[in-house]
Amino acid sequence: MRHLRQPALRQSTPMPRRAMLKRAGLGTAALLTAAATGCVPASGHGQTELVWGRRGQSSGRFLKPRAITIDRNDQLYIVDTTGRIQVFDRDGNWLRQWRTPETKNGRPTGLAIQHGRRPEDDLLLVADTHYYRMLVYRLDGQRIESKEIGGQPGRDPGQFAFVTDAVSDDDGCYYIGEYGDSDRIQKFDPDGNFMTQWGGTGREQKKFVRPQSLVIAGDVLWIADACNHRIQRYDISGPAPRWIDAWGQQGQQPGQFHYPYDLALLADGGVLVCEYGNQRIQRLAADGTPLSIWGAPGFEIGQLYQPWGLVVDSKNRMHVLDSNNHRIQRTRLPVS
């Protein structure tokens, strides 16, 4: 597949910039926000190296990609609104694809790699959002139905509303987020047996409104509490999760968020936050201090249109799911 390196990758009928910003819920001043915030650098730190993908349904193209994850070999797994899971190398070369079993009700919005003892044991966890379940695949696309969890809507243990994300810890336990009737996290043992749950719909701490993305680092579970415009963290080392803290509030300033949809943890303990609403990537230090911002609303390279996700590869580059531009942008990490 050829990489698309044109200065701009536009939809067939581009929306005027002012109209696009209005639809996204941002004023035109949003383009200037990062530049006007003083010591925190604005867009431009972390120059875009590669742009690939475009609107379409053939291999290597996307229709509003909704989730991305990366394996230990830097292969990228991306699902879009066709229900296809496409796999690429870190340079955007298409490798393989398959489809989720059903898409009439809706498509998945979460992907994660479960690491096994050996690389060949690694699995892909799929939040099959509108079918109330977690799907499991080998990395070659072979479905493992015996490991799936859920499939029935409801509020009881083991039942789900709309599943947002599914991840696993070092012991092989699963954590599955959901929104809708029950904004909560459920935990299951490696055999899929229910263990505990927490959360519930609310604005106060320890509650959620659409916990969109889950990431585990050691004994800490990070949660992108999207519609509360914050990140919450839990210690999961014991039998019951222990709340640690919450970062952020709604806004456009550094350290504030507007619909954070995805997280990527960094080797230095910091985090990258993908903001669907602010259409940017923020880098925060391990203590939550905002360090830098990359991206702004738009169609040009280095700009984003309602991004849904990001990952970081072994070469310390981020790959951003520029969803409504139907493409991926790869760039060095934004720096202060």
Side-chain angles (χ1 to χ4, degrees):
M1 186 188 76
R2 288 188 177 274
H3 301 141
L4 302 177
R5 301 176 182 268
Q6 296 97 325
L9 297 175
R10 298 180 182 270
Q11 302 177 40
S12 57
T13 306
M15 186 187 305
R17 181 180 302 275
R18 186 176 297 273
M20 186 274 289
L21 292 168
K22 183 177 181 181
R23 172 181 288 187
L26 300 172
T28 50
L31 285 171
L32 306 176
T33 299
T37 54
C39 62
V40 176
S43 176
H45 292 257
Q47 183 177 3
T48 301
E49 298 179 338
L50 181 67
V51 177
W52 51 275
R54 59 184 299 181
R55 183 182 177 91
Q57 298 190 51
S58 58
S59 297
R61 298 189 180 192
F62 305 106
L63 286 179
K64 297 181 180 179
R66 285 294 184 261
I68 183 172
T69 193
I70 189 168
D71 68 17
R72 64 177 86 199
N73 295 316
D74 279 355
Q75 293 187 359
L76 308 175
Y77 299 73
I78 299 170
V79 64
D80 69 4
T81 55
T82 68
R84 292 176 303 161
I85 297 172
Q86 298 189 76
V87 187
F88 302 83
D89 68 18
R90 64 191 177 203
D91 295 318
N93 297 302
W94 183 91
L95 300 175
R96 59 190 178 277
Q97 70 179 37
W98 64 91
R99 289 183 182 272
T100 54
E102 300 173 271
T103 59
K104 182 179 179 180
N105 293 344
R107 289 80 175 183
T109 62
L111 299 175
I113 299 293
Q114 180 184 30
H115 290 119
R117 294 183 178 180
R118 304 171 301 170
E120 55 266 34
D121 297 328
D122 291 354
L123 300 173
L124 178 69
L125 309 181
V126 180
D128 197 9
T129 307
H130 299 274
Y131 290 90
Y132 323 109
R133 63 189 176 184
M134 176 190 77
L135 299 172
V136 182
Y137 292 92
R138 299 193 187 280
L139 300 190
D140 62 3
Q142 178 185 349
R143 184 180 175 189
I144 309 177
E145 295 186 54
S146 62
K147 287 184 170 291
E148 295 175 1
I149 297 175
Q152 181 179 359
R155 299 183 180 182
D156 293 336
Q159 297 177 337
F160 297 100
F162 296 115
V163 178
T164 55
D165 206 2
V167 297
S168 68
D169 62 20
D170 292 338
D171 295 324
C173 294
Y174 300 99
Y175 301 77
I176 301 178
E178 56 187 297
Y179 79 98
D181 287 340
S182 42
D183 292 274
R184 62 181 175 177
I185 310 297
Q186 294 191 62
K187 180 180 179 180
F188 300 84
D189 70 16
D191 295 321
N193 300 306
F194 174 83
M195 297 178 68
T196 189
Q197 64 181 354
W198 71 96
T201 304
R203 300 294 182 184
E204 61 268 34
Q205 291 178 346
K206 306 180 186 179
K207 298 290 186 179
F208 308 111
V209 181
R210 189 166 182 161
Q212 178 61 41
S213 178
L214 313 179
V215 180
I216 293 176
D219 292 328
V220 178
L221 173 65
W222 298 63
I223 302 168
D225 188 6
C227 296
N228 278 326
H229 314 287
R230 66 188 177 192
I231 297 166
Q232 297 203 62
R233 302 194 300 170
Y234 284 82
D235 182 337
I236 55 173
S237 60
R242 182 179 63 83
W243 185 82
I244 300 173
D245 57 15
W247 296 359
Q249 60 182 323
Q250 186 172 8
Q252 298 178 350
Q253 298 300 311
Q256 297 178 335
F257 307 116
H258 192 202
Y259 298 110
Y261 266 19
D262 202 9
L263 308 171
L265 304 184
L266 302 176
D268 63 3
V271 62
L272 299 174
V273 181
C274 176
E275 297 180 67
Y276 176 90
N278 280 332
Q279 304 185 97
R280 66 185 184 184
I281 308 299
Q282 278 202 75
R283 182 174 183 174
L284 290 83
D287 62 358
T289 302
L291 298 177
S292 56
I293 292 170
W294 181 86
F299 303 104
E300 308 300 327
I301 288 179
Q303 297 178 332
L304 302 169
Y305 188 3
Q306 297 177 347
W308 273 65
L310 80 165
V311 294
V312 176
D313 67 21
S314 63
K315 295 183 177 293
N316 225 28
R317 301 173 302 194
M318 65 179 186
H319 303 248
V320 180
L321 202 62
D322 190 4
S323 298
N324 278 26
N325 281 325
H326 316 285
R327 66 186 181 184
I328 312 299
Q329 297 195 56
R330 189 183 79 193
T331 177
R332 293 288 174 181
L333 297 182
V335 296
S336 56

